[in-house]
Amino acid sequence: MASSSSPNPAHAHFESFLQAQLCQDVLSSFRELCGALGVEPGCGLPQYHKIKAQLNYWSAKSLWAKLDKRASQPVYQQGQACTSTKCLVVGAGPCGLRAAVELALLGARVVLVEKRTKFSRHNVLHLWPFTIHDLRALGAKKFYGRFCTGTLDHISIRQLQLLLLKVALLLGVEIHWGVTFTGLQPPLRKGSGWRAQLQPKPPDQLANYEFDVLISAAGSKFVPEGFTVREMRGKLAIGITANFVNRRTAEETQVPEISGVARIYNQKFFQSLLKATGIDLENIVYYKDDTHYFVMTAKKQCLLRLGVLRQDRLETEQLLSSANVVPEALQRFVRAAADFATNGKLGKLEFAQDARGRPDISAFDFTSMLRAECSARVQEKHGARLLLGLVGDCLVEPFWPLGTGVARGFLAAFDAAWMVKRWAEGTEPLEVLAERESLYQLLSQTSPENMHRNVAQYGLDPASRYPNLNLKAVTPNQVRDLYDVVAKGPVPKKNDKPNRGNPTTGSAGTQEELLHWCQEKTAGYPGVHVTDLSSSWADGRALCALVHRLQPSLLGPSEVQDMGALEATTWALRAAEHELGITPVVSAQAVVAGSDPLGLIAYLSHFHSAFKNTPNSPGPVNQGSPGTSSAVLFLGKLQRTLQRTRAKENSGDAGGKKPRLEVEADTPRTEEPPAPESRGPLVPPPQQQEESVQADARGLCALCGEHLYILERFCVDGHFFHRSCFRCHACEATLWPGGYGQHPDGHFYCLQHLPGTDHKKDIMDGGSTSPELPTPDANSVPPGPLTPTAPQEEASPIPCPRQPARRLIRLSSPERQRLSSLDINPSPEMEPPPKPPRSCSALAREALEGSFVGWGMPARSLPGNYSSTVFEAMEEEESSSDNEEEDDDDEPLDPDLEQALQTMAKNAGTMDKYPTWRRTLLRHAKEEEMKRFCKAQTIQRRLNEIEAALRELEAEGVKLELALRSQSTSPEQQKKLWLEQLLQLVQKKNSLVAEEAELTITVQELDLEEKQWQLDHELRGYMNREETLKTAEDRQAEDEILRKLVEVVNQRDALIRFREECRLSELA
C-alpha cells in the first residue's frame, strides 16, 4: 500500500483498486482513480496509456510491464488492428470478460453489459497450464496475491471475474451493470446501424450505441435468435456443490485437496463412505480457495433414502425443485460427505453465504449438455452487417467433472477475437464464418495433451495454440446458411458435404440380400436347404452350418446330425455368442417353433453386417471384423470366469481355510483332464427356472414378465431382460459384464452391493474385486489376432483342447519384491495404459523412488549428470512464473515424503541450487491425478449417453415392430421399408453395445491399476518389517496380499494382450 504521505493521491486510489474484493468497490475505486488523474473511463486503449503515463511509481510499473508485453505482440498491431470496430459483449462472466480484454487489446471500442450487480459465485474452476500462464501474463498476481501459489491450479469464479474486470477497466472497456440484453434492434434505414434492446431503460448514450460485432457470453439459458442448440443427453446425473467457510487456520491449510476421485477406479473409498455414512456417490472433488469447495455426483436412490428428496419424480425439474428438496437434509448430507473425505480435519464445517444470504449449497441436474450447432452468424439489413459470435456456456455447456469449462471458454474467446480481427481486415464474411467454424470443430477435442506444449507462445493467432491446424476444414459454401440477409430471405445453401438427408436403406442389408447371403454361407452342408428366413431354420442345422462356416474349429456337420432341433439350435446360439460375439435376440424355443420370425431376421442380420465381407472359403474369421466386437467377446468370457471364480471361492470357504500363498504356473500335463466343472449359472432361483424358460419362449422379460420387443432384448446367460430391469437392485446402476452377480433372492447386484459374498469384503479390505480375466492360450484359439479365450466353463458340445496342468510355486522374499514392482508392459513400442495417478504425495514419492524425469524409469539407467539436467529443466519451467515478486505457498506434505524429498535433494547436492524442483514435481503429480479423474469421468459420461441413446432406439424399434406385427392392410412395399428401418436400428444398437464394451474394458484397466497400487503399497508395508518381528497373522496377511497382487498383475497382463491383439487386428 502507498503511504498516506505519498505525493500523488492517485497512488492510494490505485492501491485500493488493486486490493478491492467486491465488485462495487472495484468500480468506485476505479472511478476515483480516473477522477484523480483527469481521465475519462471507458475510452479504449487511449485511456490505458493516459493512466500509465501518470502512474509511473514502482507498484504500478510491474503491472504496466506485463500488460505492455501482451499488447506488444504483433497480432495486435500496436492496438490498431480493429480501431474502426465497435463491439457489444453480453455477460461479465469469465469468458465474456476475457473476450472483452482481447477486443480491447486489438483497439476496438468495447461496451459490456451485465444484468447482475455483484460477483457472488464461490464455486472453484480448474485451470489448465495455459490458463494459469495467460492470467499471470495479465497481472493476476497483482490483483490476487494467492493466485495459483505453489501447486494450486484453480481459482474461484468470483476471484477470476474480479481480476479480469480490473484488467478490462484498465484497458478502456465500458461496462454497464444491472442491464439485461433482451434482443437486437435492426437498422431502421440505410445508413443506420444495429442496436441492442435493453432492460431497464438504459442511458441514452448506451441506448443509441451502434455496433457491428455482438459477442454473447450470457450463459446457456440465453442464446441469441438465429442460433440453434443441440442437446446431448445422458442418464440422470445429480450434482451437488457446497462452499464452507475457510478460516485459513493452520489445521485447515494442512488438509490435502482432492483433485478428483471416481467410483470407476476407487471403489474402496466409496464403499467405505457408504458403510460409514450411508451416502452413495459417483465422484467427489475438493478444492481449497476463498472457501472450502466440494462438488460431488450423488445417486437418486441414496438421496431418497436419506430424506434429501421428498418424493421420486419422473421429471428432473420437479425432482430437484425447491419444493421437493429438504434443505436441512441436504446440508447434513454434504457435511457428512465432506467430513468423511477430509477425515474430519476441517473441524466444524460452516456453510458460506450465497448472494441471498443463504447457505451456499445447491443440487443441480447435468443430465443433458447443450451445444450450439454453429459458433457465429452474420446478419445484414439495409447494407449494415452484424457479426454475431458465441463464447462460454452458450457455445458449449461444459461437463463439470472434466474441469474443461474455463479453459475451452478462454480458447473460444481467443477464437472469437481472431474472427473479429479477420472481420476488421475486410475479409469476406463467408470466409470469416468458415474459418470460425473450422476452429469450432477443434474446441471439443482440445486438451492439455493435444495442444502446443509451449504455453508461453500462446496468442490470438490460432496457429500458436492448435497443432495441425486446418482453417479450410469448412468451406465458405458450407456456411452460406449462416449469412442471413434480413427481409430478403436467407442465402440458399450449397453444401459441399455428401448428401446425408436420406439414409441409405441398404446399409443394414435388405431382406433379399440377407437371404442370398445366408444361402451362400450354408451351401454345401448336408441336409441344409435355406429357402426363407423362417421355417428353413427350425431344425437348427442351418444355424449350425452358418456358425461352422464362420468358425470351422467348432462342432462339425456330422456331429450335428445326431442332435435334436432344440439341442442344435441352443448349441448354435451359444457358440455364436461365445466364439463370434453375436449376442442372441431370439430364444432357441422361438426359432424351433417359428414363433418369432422378426426376431430371427434381426438375429441373422447381425451375422450379415458383421461378416458380409468375409470370403466364402472355409476358415476362421477375423474377430476384429468391423461389425463384430472383440470387446463384447472378451467381456462375455470375463463374466463367465467371474461366475466360476465366485463358485470356487464359495466352495473353498465351505471347505475350510485357504492355504498359504501358492502361485500357478503352466506345465505340461501328464494326467487326463478332470471333467469340466459346472459354473454357477446366472439364472433365476430354481423355483423360477421353468417359468424363465417359458418366458423366453413367449418373448417375456425373465424378471418383470412383461413383453420384450426385439430392440429391448438384453441377453444374459441365455435369458432375456429389459435393460431397464437389468440393474443393481440396491443402487439401480446399470450392470455391465464382469461387474455384477446374482443373489439367491433372484435379484442382480453390482459387485459393490452384492450381499453375502467375499467380493464385498475384498472391497472393504482394499483387495482385488475383479474376477480372473481370461488369458490367451496358443493351444485354444485359432491362428490370427484373436481375443483372449476363457477357460472351459462347463460341459458343452463345443470341443475344448486339453489345458496344461498347473503346478504350485513358492516365492522367496527377493522374488516377491521383484513381483511387487513388476512392469507388465510387453514392449516400449506399445502404448501402455496410463500409470495410475494417486494423491500428489504418493505420486511424488513414486517419482522420487525411480527418477526425476518420468514415472518409473530407473535412476541407475540415466547418465551420471542427468539428475542435474532434470533439475535445470524444472527450474526453467518455473522461472517464467517465479521471476516476479511472488511468495508462493508450497503444498503441505506428509512427514515421510518431506523427509524423502530432503534426503534425495541433499544426496544430489541440489537443495540450494534448484529450489523450485520440489514444487514442479508436485505440480506434475497433481496434473496426472487430474488427467486420471478426467479420463474416468469422460468414460462415465459417454456410457450414460450410450444408455440414453439405446433407450431412444428401443422406443423407435417398438413403434416399428408394432406396425410390422399388426394385421394391417399396409402395402407390402411399406412393410418392407419398415423392416429395413428396423434392421438399421438393430445395427445401430449393436454398434453402441460394442462401444459400450470397449469403454467397460477401459474401466477395468483403471480399476486394476488402482488395485495394483493399493496392494503394492500394503505389501511394501509388510515387507519393510523385520522378519523376526512378524507374527503368524502378519505372514498370513502378507501372503494373502501377495496372492491378490498376483491375480491383479495377471488380469492387467490379459488386458494388455487383448489391446495388443486388437491393434494388430486393425493393422491387418
Side-chain angles (χ1 to χ4, degrees):
M1 295 289 285
S3 66
S4 58
S5 61
S6 174
N8 189 344
H11 292 181
H13 295 308
F14 182 71
E15 292 297 332
S16 298
F17 171 73
L18 292 181
Q19 303 302 326
Q21 289 297 299
L22 295 176
C23 184
Q24 293 302 325
D25 292 345
V26 172
L27 297 175
S28 61
S29 61
F30 185 72
R31 283 194 298 266
E32 292 171 356
L33 173 64
C34 290
L37 297 177
V39 175
E40 183 69 24
C43 297
L45 279 182
Q47 170 213 279
Y48 165 71
H49 293 300
K50 291 177 182 178
I51 294 176
K52 184 181 70 168
Q54 298 186 57
L55 285 179
N56 56 3
Y57 76 111
W58 66 270
S59 183
K61 283 184 177 180
S62 60
L63 179 60
W64 306 148
K66 286 184 173 295
L67 295 179
D68 287 346
K69 182 178 180 181
R70 178 78 184 194
S72 65
Q73 293 182 8
V75 69
Y76 300 114
Q77 300 174 17
Q78 299 298 320
Q80 301 298 311
C82 299
T83 51
S84 60
T85 304
K86 296 181 179 180
C87 305
L88 177 68
V89 179
V90 181
C95 298
L97 287 167
R98 191 65 189 86
V101 167
E102 287 301 309
L103 294 173
L105 288 170
L106 286 167
R109 183 186 176 189
V110 185
V111 175
L112 185 147
V113 294
E114 168 58 51
K115 65 181 179 180
R116 293 166 295 182
T117 58
K118 58 182 176 181
F119 298 147
S120 58
R121 292 185 289 174
H122 294 294
N123 292 357
V124 178
L125 300 173
H126 172 71
L127 301 178
W128 289 4
F130 96 83
T131 52
I132 296 175
H133 187 276
D134 176 70
L135 292 169
R136 275 182 168 161
L138 292 177
K141 295 288 290 187
K142 291 292 295 184
F143 303 118
Y144 181 48
R146 294 180 54 83
F147 176 75
C148 289
T149 56
T151 61
L152 297 182
D153 57 358
H154 51 74
I155 188 174
S156 70
I157 298 176
R158 190 181 73 86
Q159 286 292 350
L160 179 57
Q161 287 176 287
L162 282 173
L163 70 88
L164 287 173
L165 171 64
K166 294 173 184 179
V167 176
L169 288 171
L170 288 173
L171 294 178
V173 176
E174 180 182 333
I175 300 179
H176 297 270
W177 299 93
V179 178
T180 302
F181 177 85
T182 58
L184 287 168
Q185 180 180 326
L188 299 177
R189 64 187 68 85
K190 193 168 185 178
S192 60
W194 292 81
R195 300 179 182 178
Q197 297 176 0
L198 304 170
Q199 292 292 339
K201 186 178 179 180
D204 291 342
Q205 179 184 0
L206 180 59
N208 297 327
Y209 176 63
E210 295 183 351
F211 48 88
D212 47 17
V213 174
L214 172 67
I215 301 296
S216 176
S220 59
K221 294 183 179 179
F222 178 81
V223 177
E225 185 179 356
F227 289 89
T228 56
V229 176
R230 177 165 54 93
E231 183 182 29
M232 299 172 289
R233 294 195 62 82
K235 71 174 185 178
L236 178 65
I238 300 175
I240 299 176
T241 61
N243 286 278
F244 297 100
V245 174
N246 186 354
R247 301 177 182 85
R248 304 192 187 281
T249 63
E251 292 76 12
E252 287 175 302
T253 58
Q254 294 300 314
V255 178
E257 295 182 334
I258 304 173
S259 295
V261 57
R263 177 189 294 270
I264 279 183
Y265 60 83
N266 196 341
Q267 297 179 2
K268 177 185 177 183
F269 172 85
F270 291 97
Q271 187 65 29
S272 300
L273 172 64
L274 177 63
K275 182 179 180 181
T277 64
I279 294 175
D280 209 1
L281 299 179
E282 289 287 349
N283 52 50
I284 187 169
V285 173
Y286 162 53
Y287 283 144
K288 197 183 326 180
D289 209 270
D290 284 350
T291 61
H292 295 292
Y293 171 67
F294 290 85
V295 58
M296 60 199 77
T297 303
K299 294 191 175 183
K300 182 182 72 171
Q301 291 302 318
C302 172
L303 296 175
L304 288 168
R305 174 168 46 81
L306 296 179
V308 177
L309 300 177
R310 288 188 170 92
Q311 293 181 336
D312 192 1
R313 304 285 189 185
L314 292 179
E315 295 295 329
T316 308
E317 291 184 3
Q318 297 179 7
L319 181 70
L320 297 179
S321 66
S322 57
N324 198 45
V325 177
V326 181
E328 296 79 9
L330 180 59
Q331 293 174 27
R332 289 194 299 270
F333 181 95
V334 173
R335 272 199 183 99
D339 195 59
F340 181 89
T342 58
N343 296 317
K345 294 181 180 180
L346 289 178
K348 184 179 180 181
L349 294 170
E350 178 185 347
F351 283 100
Q353 302 297 306
D354 63 11
R356 300 178 182 178
R358 299 177 303 189
D360 194 350
I361 180 174
S362 65
F364 61 97
D365 165 45
F366 61 100
T367 302
S368 63
M369 298 286 132
L370 301 179
R371 177 186 175 88
E373 293 284 359
C374 61
S375 60
R377 299 183 66 87
V378 172
Q379 292 188 15
E380 180 180 344
K381 186 174 183 180
H382 295 309
R385 292 174 176 172
L386 175 66
L387 176 64
L388 299 95
L390 303 181
V391 298
D393 288 3
C394 63
L395 179 64
V396 179
E397 196 172 12
F399 180 49
W400 72 261
L402 299 185
T404 59
V406 70
R408 290 177 179 169
F410 276 23
L411 290 174
F414 296 156
D415 295 339
W418 174 260
M419 172 184 69
V420 174
K421 179 179 182 294
R422 297 280 289 153
W423 175 267
E425 290 172 347
T427 308
E428 286 297 318
L430 289 180
E431 187 175 343
V432 171
L433 292 173
E435 285 189 4
R436 179 67 188 96
E437 293 308 305
S438 298
L439 292 171
Y440 184 37
Q441 290 183 350
L442 299 175
L443 186 62
S444 61
Q445 306 168 22
T446 55
S447 69
E449 290 73 40
N450 60 20
M451 297 180 66
H452 281 311
R453 298 293 184 183
N454 189 357
V455 297
Q457 299 300 318
Y458 281 23
L460 202 60
D461 188 343
S464 68
R465 293 174 274 123
Y466 306 116
N468 305 317
L469 177 65
N470 179 14
L471 290 175
K472 305 293 184 182
V474 177
T475 64
N477 276 339
Q478 292 174 285
V479 296
R480 291 179 67 85
D481 59 342
L482 303 182
Y483 191 167
D484 186 14
V485 181
V486 181
K488 293 185 180 180
V491 179
K493 179 180 179 181
K494 297 180 181 178
N495 198 342
D496 288 347
K497 296 180 181 179
N499 183 14
R500 297 195 301 261
N502 299 321
T504 52
T505 57
S507 59
T510 63
Q511 193 171 350
E512 290 77 11
E513 290 174 352
L514 178 60
L515 176 60
H516 180 68
W517 182 81
C518 291
Q519 289 172 337
E520 284 186 346
K521 291 298 180 183
T522 57
Y525 283 87
V528 177
H529 303 285
V530 175
T531 58
D532 54 33
L533 296 174
S534 54
S535 59
S536 298
W537 306 82
D539 60 1
R541 296 185 179 183
L543 204 54
C544 290
L546 181 60
V547 173
H548 184 269
R549 174 76 71 180
L550 299 172
Q551 197 64 280
S553 62
L554 302 180
L555 202 61
S558 59
E559 299 170 272
V560 176
Q561 300 297 323
D562 299 330
M563 293 185 182
L566 184 59
E567 183 184 5
T569 304
T570 301
W571 176 88
L573 292 175
R574 191 173 188 183
E577 179 182 9
H578 292 186
E579 303 299 329
L580 299 176
I582 305 294
T583 306
V585 295
V586 63
S587 66
Q589 295 89 343
V591 174
V592 173
S595 58
D596 190 7
L598 277 180
L600 179 59
I601 292 174
Y603 180 59
L604 294 174
S605 72
H606 194 177
F607 282 91
H608 179 227
S609 61
F611 303 110
K612 60 185 176 183
N613 295 324
T614 57
N616 288 330
S617 57
V621 299
N622 182 356
Q623 295 184 13
S625 300
T628 186
S629 170
S630 54
V632 173
L633 267 173
F634 187 85
L635 288 179
K637 298 175 188 296
L638 172 60
Q639 179 58 37
R640 292 189 292 274
T641 307
L642 166 65
Q643 296 165 217
R644 187 183 66 257
T645 302
R646 185 179 298 120
K648 283 182 178 179
E649 289 178 352
N650 291 339
S651 61
D653 290 344
K657 294 183 178 180
K658 295 181 181 179
R660 275 178 61 88
L661 171 72
E662 294 171 339
V663 183
E664 295 180 342
D666 292 338
T667 57
R669 172 145 219 167
T670 56
E671 69 273 16
E672 289 297 320
E677 58 182 330
S678 61
R679 52 185 174 142
L682 188 60
V683 296
Q687 63 270 20
Q688 300 179 12
Q689 290 186 16
E690 184 176 350
E691 297 178 6
S692 179
V693 173
Q694 294 175 358
D696 291 337
R698 298 194 305 269
L700 305 179
C701 175
L703 283 179
C704 70
E706 298 294 328
H707 183 72
L708 276 170
Y709 293 93
I710 292 173
L711 265 82
E712 293 179 323
R713 295 173 187 173
F714 187 72
C715 184
V716 178
D717 200 57
H719 299 276
F720 295 101
F721 305 88
H722 292 101
R723 283 183 66 94
S724 57
C725 292
F726 195 65
R727 295 176 179 272
C728 175
H729 183 65
C731 65
E732 293 192 348
T734 302
L735 300 177
W736 295 308
Y740 67 85
Q742 188 179 27
H743 194 258
D745 63 5
H747 296 296
F748 295 96
Y749 295 87
C750 63
L751 292 183
Q752 289 178 301
H753 298 106
L754 184 61
T757 68
D758 287 340
H759 293 277
K760 185 171 181 179
K761 179 179 182 298
D762 284 343
I763 296 173
M764 298 302 300
D765 294 339
S768 171
T769 60
S770 293
E772 180 184 353
L773 298 182
T775 55
D777 187 341
N779 298 323
S780 60
V781 294
L786 304 179
T787 57
T789 303
Q792 185 76 2
E793 291 107 8
E794 61 180 76
S796 166
I798 305 175
C800 179
R802 294 185 176 185
Q803 302 294 327
R806 296 177 183 268
R807 60 186 178 86
L808 305 179
I809 300 176
R810 291 187 179 275
L811 298 182
S812 63
S813 293
E815 290 172 330
R816 296 181 187 181
Q817 178 70 37
R818 288 196 296 271
L819 177 61
S820 67
S821 304
L822 182 62
D823 180 8
I824 59 174
N825 295 326
S827 68
E829 291 80 11
M830 176 183 170
E831 183 178 354
K835 194 161 187 175
R838 317 296 163 204
S839 67
C840 296
S841 296
L843 272 175
R845 176 182 290 280
E846 202 168 310
L848 284 169
E849 290 177 351
S851 75
F852 290 94
V853 200
W855 315 115
M857 183 180 293
R860 60 179 175 273
S861 65
L862 302 175
N865 62 346
Y866 201 90
S867 59
S868 61
T869 305
V870 173
F871 287 127
E872 289 171 359
M874 292 179 177
E875 286 294 314
E876 183 179 350
E877 179 179 343
E878 290 293 322
S879 61
S880 61
S881 60
D882 288 347
N883 57 9
E884 51 189 274
E885 59 278 7
E886 299 179 8
D887 184 18
D888 286 358
D889 298 330
D890 289 333
E891 180 175 311
L893 303 177
D894 62 78
D896 290 341
L897 178 58
E898 183 75 27
Q899 183 62 39
L901 283 164
Q902 292 179 359
T903 302
M904 289 292 293
K906 288 177 180 178
N907 292 342
T910 58
M911 181 68 80
D912 299 324
K913 189 176 179 181
Y914 306 108
T916 63
W917 64 268
R918 171 187 185 275
R919 184 166 61 251
T920 304
L921 184 66
L922 291 175
R923 180 168 289 165
H924 287 178
K926 180 171 284 189
E927 291 172 1
E928 289 298 315
E929 186 179 9
M930 191 63 189
K931 288 177 189 176
R932 179 178 176 78
F933 179 69
C934 290
K935 181 178 181 180
Q937 294 311 302
T938 302
I939 294 171
Q940 185 68 63
R941 177 66 188 181
R942 182 54 188 155
L943 288 172
N944 292 345
E945 290 175 352
I946 289 174
E947 187 172 348
L950 287 172
R951 284 200 301 267
E952 294 177 1
L953 288 179
E954 289 173 2
E956 294 179 37
V958 168
K959 293 178 183 178
L960 286 172
E961 190 173 347
L962 286 173
L964 284 167
R965 293 184 185 276
S966 64
Q967 301 297 325
S968 64
T969 57
S970 301
E972 287 300 319
Q973 189 65 26
Q974 179 64 54
K975 292 184 177 180
K976 185 177 296 186
L977 178 62
W978 285 341
L979 179 59
E980 291 179 11
Q981 291 174 346
L982 181 65
L983 295 182
Q984 288 176 15
L985 294 181
V986 170
Q987 186 173 349
K988 289 180 181 178
K989 176 188 174 181
N990 294 335
S991 177
L992 288 174
V993 169
E995 183 184 358
E996 184 182 49
E998 291 283 354
L999 292 173
T1000 305
I1001 288 180
T1002 307
V1003 170
Q1004 293 279 351
E1005 290 175 339
L1006 290 172
D1007 186 45
L1008 289 172
E1009 289 167 6
E1010 181 70 21
K1011 287 172 183 172
Q1012 182 175 351
W1013 181 85
Q1014 291 177 355
L1015 290 168
D1016 178 78
H1017 183 71
E1018 293 180 21
L1019 183 61
R1020 286 176 183 270
Y1022 282 106
M1023 295 176 66
N1024 288 337
R1025 300 181 190 177
E1026 291 289 340
E1027 285 292 333
T1028 56
L1029 300 179
K1030 292 181 183 178
T1031 64
E1033 290 76 11
D1034 291 338
R1035 292 189 179 90
Q1036 185 175 1
E1038 182 180 353
D1039 287 348
E1040 179 64 18
I1041 293 173
L1042 183 56
R1043 180 188 66 81
K1044 291 178 180 180
L1045 182 60
V1046 172
E1047 291 176 358
V1048 170
V1049 169
N1050 288 336
Q1051 291 161 23
R1052 289 195 66 191
D1053 184 53
L1055 284 175
I1056 291 173
R1057 293 188 187 184
F1058 166 74
R1059 291 294 193 193
E1060 177 66 5
E1061 288 167 352
C1062 291
R1063 186 182 69 84
L1064 294 176
S1065 176
E1066 292 174 359
L1067 292 176

